Amino acid sequence: MTTIAVIGLGNMGGPMAQNLVKAGHAVTGFDLSPAAIEEARAGGVAIARSVAEAVKGAEAIVTMLPAGKHVRAVWAEIVGIAGKGTLLIDSSTIDVESARAVHAQAEAAGLVPVDAPVSGGVGGAKAATLTFMCGGADAAFNRAKPLLEAMGRKIVHCGGAGAGQAAKICNNMILGISMIAVGEAFVLAEKLGLSHQALFDVASTSSGQCWSLTTYCPVPGPVPTSPANNGYKPGFATALMLKDLKLSQDAAAAAGATTPMGALATQLYGLHAAWGEGGADFSGIIELIRGKSD
Ligand code: NAD
């Protein structure tokens, strides 16, 4: 049993904290939102009144916050109060620069940092089937792994500080671009009088095969579990895809990488969100493409 503090008990952090409780750990959480607090409390998480109270005596701390600025603020508070040797895991999706900055700050204070963003969404957080992409020293990763296994199914050590965030944004850039490619193909098929099922049957077993097609098909029918069958709700929100694509473009600019398709995808999801679809699943981008083709 490990004494763990979880800061950020939202859609992802709440169920993750509850899975740590189910695995037999002593978990204390803190969030600014009364609704998030109540839900976590109902799931067996002890609730603290502040970050400082939550992390007091914790052997490990997990943060699951909206963006880099929140992580920078919360980690700045933690490094001043956590005991030396405390394991510090950030599972938020944030910019690589912030991830590296908080790693350095934590290490300088004698703490043991790991960036461990996730894929798998709210469903994966609830079912403890998340994939964790980790960055940090070998010893830090080895300490974090058993705790992450209580919340996920696949735990990958990607490299040093910030490598987990780098893997996350590269993966999601592939996903955002490939969903647009699949959407364009279905819209072209519609114009050519080719049925959705016929295109699916061919492309899903041919060289056009990809996750956006075979697991998350953006038209209703071929893959009954994809959000397209339910009006693009729920799923992975367009706003979150846009956030990750913006992070990829910021990282590309800082690192001097050329990512023209990533840049275009960022613009298209931005347009989709601006037209009121930020809360809808990102595969609904096909509706924007179809609209442009009419
Ligand atoms: P969320 O908004 O539901 O939860 C974030 C929580 O952080 C909120 O409850 C908020 O009150 C709390 N918070 C903010 N500042 C705080 C502070 N200073 N102290 C304590 N609590 C604070 O967001 P989410 O969907 O849980 O996402 C969390 C992170 O996970 C984000 O970085 C997101 O990009 C990433 N992520 C989300 C998904 C998803 O499908 N929702 C999937 C993968 C990754």
Side-chain angles (χ1 to χ4, degrees):
M1 186 194 78
T2 305
T3 304
I4 305 171
V6 179
I7 312 299
L9 301 167
N11 291 321
M12 298 292 290
M16 288 164 66
Q18 292 183 39
N19 283 327
L20 289 170
V21 172
K22 282 184 202 149
H25 299 295
V27 183
T28 302
F30 174 69
D31 197 291
L32 300 173
S33 150
I37 285 173
E38 281 324 308
E39 209 165 321
R41 198 198 302 274
V45 177
I47 299 299
R49 282 164 299 182
S50 64
V51 170
E53 190 180 305
V55 306
K56 193 163 183 270
E59 297 159 87
I61 302 168
V62 178
T63 51
M64 194 51 168
L65 298 162
K69 64 177 181 191
H70 307 94
V71 174
R72 281 180 186 260
V74 169
W75 277 46
E77 191 177 348
I78 289 171
V79 293
I81 46 182
K84 279 205 189 326
T86 304
L87 178 64
L88 202 39
I89 302 171
D90 179 45
S91 283
S92 329
T93 302
I94 66 170
D95 56 291
V96 177
E97 200 185 324
S98 291
R100 289 183 177 151
V102 297
H103 260 265
Q105 200 182 17
E107 269 173 352
L111 307 181
V112 181
V114 177
D115 54 293
V118 302
S119 78
V122 177
K126 287 184 176 159
T129 56
L130 294 168
T131 293
F132 284 89
M133 298 152 252
C134 305
D138 288 348
F141 173 75
N142 291 337
R143 269 185 68 191
K145 195 166 180 250
L147 300 184
L148 301 179
E149 279 167 346
M151 302 182 279
R153 197 153 51 191
K154 188 157 189 210
I155 322 297
V156 186
H157 190 192
C158 301
Q165 297 295 349
K168 164 89 186 172
I169 56 171
C170 289
N171 177 73
N172 279 17
M173 191 172 79
I174 296 172
L175 176 62
I177 293 169
S178 70
M179 186 56 78
I180 292 170
V182 172
E184 285 188 4
F186 274 105
V187 169
L188 176 59
E190 288 164 7
K191 294 282 183 193
L192 298 175
L194 180 66
S195 75
H196 290 163
Q197 192 63 47
L199 174 60
F200 181 84
D201 289 346
V202 171
S204 63
T205 53
S206 303
S207 45
Q209 188 270 121
C210 63
W211 190 91
S212 293
L213 176 72
T214 56
T215 306
Y216 222 71
C217 189
V219 295
V223 178
T225 50
S226 76
N229 298 285
N230 194 32
Y232 302 101
K233 285 191 169 48
F236 183 50
T238 299
L240 285 176
M241 172 54 82
L242 181 59
K243 171 191 168 183
D244 293 358
L245 283 169
K246 283 181 175 166
L247 290 176
S248 77
Q249 294 314 289
D250 290 348
T258 307
T259 55
M261 298 299 287
L264 197 51
T266 308
Q267 285 180 21
L268 289 175
Y269 287 105
L271 201 54
H272 197 45
W275 284 357
E277 299 296 328
D281 184 75
F282 77 106
S283 63
I285 192 79
I286 191 174
E287 296 193 317
L288 179 127
I289 296 163
R290 193 183 279 117
K292 279 188 169 304
S293 298
D294 283 342

